Amino acid sequence: AVEEWHPDGEQILTSLTRDHFWKHGERFSFVSAGKRGPDKILFDAYGSDGRLSPDGGKLLFTRESERWWRKGYRGSRSSQIWLFNSEDGGIEKLVDDEQGSRWPLWKPSGKGFYYVGQRDGAFNLRERNLEAGKERQITKFEDDSVVYPAISRDGSTLVFRHLFDLYAIRLGKDEKPQKIKIQFPGDSDWIAEKRRILDKATNVAFSKDGLEIAFIAGGDLWVMDTELKEPIQITDSAEEESEPLFAPDGKSIVFISDQGGQSDLWKVERADAEKYWWQNKDFKMTRLTNDPVTEHDTAWSPDGEHISFLRERGDFWIMKPDGKDARRLFESWNDPQYDWSPDGKWLVYAVSDNDFNRDIWISPIDASREPFNLSRHP
């Protein structure tokens, strides 16, 4: 594994395992960066986390080491910091604390180093003078440890991880850890896009002048002109829409939507009523009914004063275009067929009685008289 570049830029410090794999077979070596050749073993003893001094003549490294995330460990497996001197081949133990010390980093002067030491259950950044052995604590985290520190080449800035964030410290300045803000596009809200090709429509309705069409495609409500044929999507819900109907004056469209887990009547209007439906990009939605009962078979009265629809098994209802004054005109256990009179004041419908005998009836919507049986089928 690569540890770091040698200061001369021609060699790479690596760690390897050659033998004694069962017991501390790790060794430090130099590998030439320019040409292939034999590895040069620094010394015949184990170690890890090696860091070369600025002149390349010394090596800081660690031995032992319990897992760094094991808080509060004290014992013989606590990590220690050692120093190797290439001039005389000597190896010296520098820091041996029962709570552990790891990740040494040289100061640019070569006269000292930084490392992470555990005190009172959390690893914090510390500085140690190589000759005098004096040291000081730099960070003072209590909730969790400083891990995986790295220092800039000029020694002015040190970066480390704490919990799930990166921090930077200006060494020799205020030395207050500053959280590094990293923004990755994957952290932002990502809206998955799915391309669908819609090649058919259902429940088509035409405007009074025949120039515009409202239809259902892919379960959503669309509008389109009959010349350019450029569809504009009005609804974009996960639920199904159905039965679009233009109002007689063309100012609104009534339709049925399953939004919210129940079938209800909705009305949509253009944001800009001066433009055609297909020229609008924004629309105003109004919920006309809000109940668990299913509405279906909607129709406009010719004068535009009422919207009619069926509920339950076949009950006939009417209401104002704004959803107010909803009332039931008659009950039925089966779906009636019905139509409005041209003036919007009468209703003709066919419905079966309890003997499955189907008759045609006519009735005023103001209930001024009882419904009249036109067919009188025996």
Side-chain angles (χ1 to χ4, degrees):
V2 173
E3 297 286 336
E4 65 172 349
W5 279 93
H6 191 284
D8 62 13
E10 297 179 359
Q11 305 176 83
I12 300 172
L13 176 68
T14 65
S15 59
L16 52 82
T17 301
R18 282 290 183 263
D19 52 13
H20 308 297
F21 63 90
W22 63 275
K23 183 68 173 178
H24 294 309
E26 316 93 82
R27 297 291 186 270
F28 290 109
S29 69
F30 286 131
V31 175
S32 174
K35 58 182 179 180
R36 297 191 63 177
D39 299 333
K40 179 182 177 182
I41 304 297
L42 271 71
F43 53 89
D44 191 18
Y46 74 94
S48 58
D49 291 328
R51 289 296 180 267
L52 290 166
S53 61
D55 61 6
K58 298 182 178 65
L59 178 75
L60 288 170
F61 63 97
T62 62
R63 279 182 172 173
E64 300 302 334
S65 180
E66 186 55 53
R67 295 172 179 84
W68 63 262
W69 57 84
R70 185 177 178 185
K71 296 181 180 180
Y73 175 81
R74 298 169 183 261
S76 60
R77 285 184 54 82
S78 293
S79 56
Q80 312 145 10
I81 296 179
W82 292 68
L83 175 68
F84 166 73
N85 192 328
S86 61
E87 290 185 3
D88 55 15
I91 298 177
E92 176 187 3
K93 184 191 294 183
L94 299 181
V95 185
D96 185 9
D97 186 90
E98 64 174 351
Q99 296 186 61
S101 305
R102 63 183 73 230
W103 296 310
L105 298 169
W106 284 96
K107 300 181 70 174
S109 63
K111 297 181 179 181
F113 61 94
Y114 302 100
Y115 73 96
V116 174
Q118 184 174 199
R119 302 289 189 275
D120 302 323
F123 283 96
N124 274 287
L125 185 66
R126 305 181 70 84
E127 180 186 10
R128 184 182 180 91
N129 182 280
L130 197 58
E131 295 180 359
K134 294 182 179 180
E135 64 176 66
R136 66 186 181 96
Q137 182 173 331
I138 299 176
T139 62
K140 298 179 180 180
F141 292 106
E142 298 178 357
D143 53 346
D144 213 292
S145 300
V146 170
V147 298
Y148 297 119
I151 193 169
S152 61
R153 285 293 179 182
D154 62 3
S156 64
T157 305
L158 191 145
V159 176
F160 60 87
R161 195 190 103 189
H162 172 66
L163 293 174
F164 295 99
D165 295 298
L166 293 177
Y167 289 79
I169 285 183
R170 298 288 294 176
L171 297 169
K173 305 294 182 180
D174 59 2
E175 296 189 332
K176 181 179 179 181
Q178 300 292 331
K179 187 180 294 187
I180 301 174
K181 295 182 180 179
I182 300 176
Q183 187 171 10
F184 174 62
D187 295 334
S188 356
D189 292 336
W190 179 66
I191 301 175
E193 293 185 0
K194 181 184 291 186
R195 183 178 295 276
R196 295 187 301 164
I197 298 177
L198 304 176
D199 57 2
K200 61 182 179 180
T202 59
N203 304 140
V204 176
F206 288 84
S207 60
K208 190 174 181 179
D209 57 14
L211 297 178
E212 296 186 278
I213 310 171
F215 60 91
I216 304 298
D220 290 308
L221 177 63
W222 299 69
V223 289
M224 184 177 72
D225 70 298
T226 57
E227 295 295 329
L228 298 176
K229 298 180 181 179
E230 296 179 354
I232 298 297
Q233 188 171 0
I234 295 180
T235 64
D236 186 13
S237 65
E239 297 83 6
E240 292 282 326
E241 276 78 54
S242 61
E243 299 189 29
L245 288 173
F246 277 101
D249 59 9
K251 294 181 179 180
S252 62
I253 299 174
V254 170
F255 64 98
I256 293 174
S257 176
D258 293 341
Q259 295 181 44
Q262 62 185 36
S263 293
D264 284 307
L265 279 169
W266 288 71
K267 180 176 68 173
V268 60
E269 299 169 282
R270 294 163 292 180
D272 187 349
E274 299 299 321
K275 294 181 179 179
Y276 286 104
W277 283 88
W278 58 273
Q279 292 177 319
N280 276 264
K281 300 297 183 183
D282 299 306
F283 303 91
K284 176 186 176 183
M285 306 286 290
T286 304
R287 192 174 202 150
L288 300 180
T289 62
N290 190 1
D291 53 64
V293 181
T294 299
E295 287 81 18
H296 58 99
D297 287 348
T298 55
W300 280 92
S301 63
D303 58 5
E305 293 294 323
H306 292 91
I307 301 171
S308 58
F309 54 93
L310 302 183
R311 272 182 177 170
E312 300 287 358
R313 291 180 296 177
D315 293 353
F316 185 88
W317 287 70
I318 63 172
M319 66 180 175
K320 294 291 187 181
D322 59 2
K324 297 180 179 179
D325 299 332
R327 57 192 175 96
R328 184 175 58 193
L329 292 190
F330 62 85
E331 296 180 79
S332 174
W333 61 267
N334 59 96
D335 284 351
Q337 294 173 298
Y338 72 92
D339 194 13
W340 286 90
S341 63
D343 61 4
K345 296 180 180 180
W346 293 80
L347 191 73
V348 62
Y349 58 92
V351 65
S352 300
D353 61 19
N354 291 337
D355 295 320
F356 297 92
N357 181 54
R358 198 166 186 83
D359 276 310
I360 299 173
W361 297 75
I362 186 169
S363 173
I365 66 169
D366 61 2
S368 57
R369 57 159 291 173
E370 291 295 321
F372 180 74
N373 189 338
L374 292 177
S375 60
R376 300 185 183 184
H377 193 280

